[in-house]
Amino acid sequence: MSRRLRTLAAALCALPLALAAAPSAQAADPTTMTSGFYVDPNSTAKRWVAANPGDGRAPAINSAIANTPMARWFGSWSGTIGTATGAYVGAADQADKLPVLVAYNVYNRDYCGGHSAGGASSPSAYASWIAQFAGGIGSRPAVVILEPDSLGDYGCMNQAQIDEREAMLTGALGEFSRQAPNTWVYMDAGNPAWTNAATMARRLHEAGVRQAHGFSLNVSNYFTTAENTAFGDAVNRELSARYGYTKPFVVDTSRNGNGSNGQWCNPSGRRIGTPTRMGGGAEMLLWIKTPGESDGNCGIGAGSRAGDFLPEAAYKMIYGY
């Protein structure tokens, strides 16, 4: 056999191995497997409306907030996590709709902010939790926002803690690639005011965003869609220049209709933004935070806990006052 033929034969024999070793981060497109986004039938807004049918604010909250597709957040309160994600995604699949889930249980969660402190008890406990989270989704179509604030919340952490967090996120992406082939995972990248684009691009890369479908912006914050798309484009320029790739991104528009007044914790005068949709300057505009849910014991939510539904805050957010 000639050298050329031997080389060709060797290449053909090696091809299946090369394909098998290729990363599986490129999930099938879940948006083409479904007919629109899933409306959570058990959101805090839906539950409040159902429990308060005679309240004068209920019709507006029902039509403007409760019936808009929103993400469901999963954490330690969710019980057996694989069962919880499986039930939620299964219900969406039965309705032929695309569910959006938020994984919010990383070890040392909100370590520097504190209003939403908690999370898994250890890195190994988180690894087990997120593996079960992904396993519950399985092959059904879904979108997952991975650990909001986790890459912005570095201000009080030492390098060992940062390395530990990045390893947890990288491990999580591996689980979704392995167990949830029709899920698009977006690694959270904070918001335009938290850190500069170059720093966020480095953090994303070091945490493994190359394995993710993309990154998310403005989760639970108020910056305009234009501000976020400009920041997302800047992050992508940095990813391209430094590492040779770019990623799609999504923007949380649930509370950005009036933009930000510089406060992040239950500020007054905010307004709901563009309802969940494809496109709009990003790959998707999503309601990730439920309008009316408290950010913590602060601002107009004084006395509340993070995640409590505040009907007056929701009602005012509909009209922007």
Side-chain angles (χ1 to χ4, degrees):
M1 183 184 293
S2 69
R3 179 177 179 183
R4 182 178 178 183
L5 288 175
R6 286 198 303 270
T7 301
L8 179 59
L12 289 173
C13 289
L15 185 58
L17 293 176
L19 290 174
S24 57
Q26 295 303 313
D29 183 347
T31 68
T32 63
M33 301 170 69
T34 47
S35 60
F37 292 93
Y38 186 54
V39 175
D40 183 355
N42 197 39
S43 69
T44 52
K46 278 276 193 185
R47 293 202 306 268
W48 183 85
V49 168
N52 298 275
D55 192 296
R57 299 165 296 186
I61 291 174
N62 186 53
S63 62
I65 295 177
N67 284 305
T68 299
M70 291 178 284
R72 181 181 286 191
W73 294 54
F74 292 83
S76 59
W77 59 86
S78 302
T80 303
I81 189 59
T83 302
T85 57
Y88 189 64
V89 174
D93 192 44
Q94 284 289 104
D96 193 33
K97 299 296 182 182
L98 180 61
V100 181
L101 300 81
V102 180
Y104 196 54
N105 197 43
V106 74
Y107 172 63
N108 274 341
R109 187 185 68 212
D110 199 19
Y111 187 69
C112 301
H115 282 284
S116 298
S121 60
S122 67
S124 61
Y126 180 70
S128 175
W129 185 86
I130 203 69
Q132 294 172 57
F133 187 116
I137 295 173
S139 62
R140 292 168 295 198
V143 167
V144 170
I145 309 301
L146 183 61
E147 299 298 340
D149 303 343
S150 57
L151 295 182
D153 188 39
Y154 278 14
C156 66
M157 297 170 69
N158 61 40
Q159 191 58 50
Q161 291 170 318
I162 291 170
D163 293 345
E164 181 178 67
R165 175 165 292 179
E166 290 177 349
M168 285 187 282
L169 297 174
T170 302
L173 292 173
E175 291 294 342
F176 285 104
S177 293
R178 184 172 66 85
Q179 297 193 72
N182 298 315
T183 294
W184 277 357
V185 180
Y186 296 87
M187 179 172 281
D188 192 61
N191 62 67
W194 210 338
T195 187
N196 61 59
T199 298
M200 184 49 68
R202 175 176 53 79
R203 292 179 183 179
L204 283 165
H205 179 75
E206 290 177 350
V209 77
R210 190 190 290 268
Q211 297 181 65
H213 179 74
F215 58 93
S216 56
L217 296 172
N218 204 49
V219 174
S220 300
N221 220 297
Y222 303 88
F223 293 96
T224 65
T225 303
E227 289 172 314
N228 278 285
T229 54
F231 181 66
D233 290 342
V235 169
N236 267 328
R237 285 194 295 272
E238 294 291 339
L239 286 173
S240 178
R242 293 173 178 225
Y243 311 112
Y245 64 91
T246 61
K247 288 290 181 179
F249 60 88
V250 297
V251 176
D252 184 355
T253 55
S254 59
R255 308 189 297 180
N256 75 348
N258 279 348
S260 172
N261 67 353
Q263 303 299 312
W264 67 268
C265 201
N266 296 321
S268 61
R270 302 308 94 204
R271 191 168 192 163
I272 59 175
T274 303
T276 295
R277 55 162 288 188
M278 297 295 299
E283 185 165 48
M284 303 182 215
L285 305 181
L286 301 175
W287 278 23
I288 299 173
K289 176 75 170 181
T290 300
E293 279 191 359
S294 175
D295 296 316
N297 181 17
C298 52
I300 61 172
S304 67
R305 300 169 300 172
D308 287 350
F309 186 75
L310 309 176
E312 186 63 15
Y315 185 74
K316 290 180 176 178
M317 203 169 289
I318 295 168
Y319 302 104
Y321 56 78

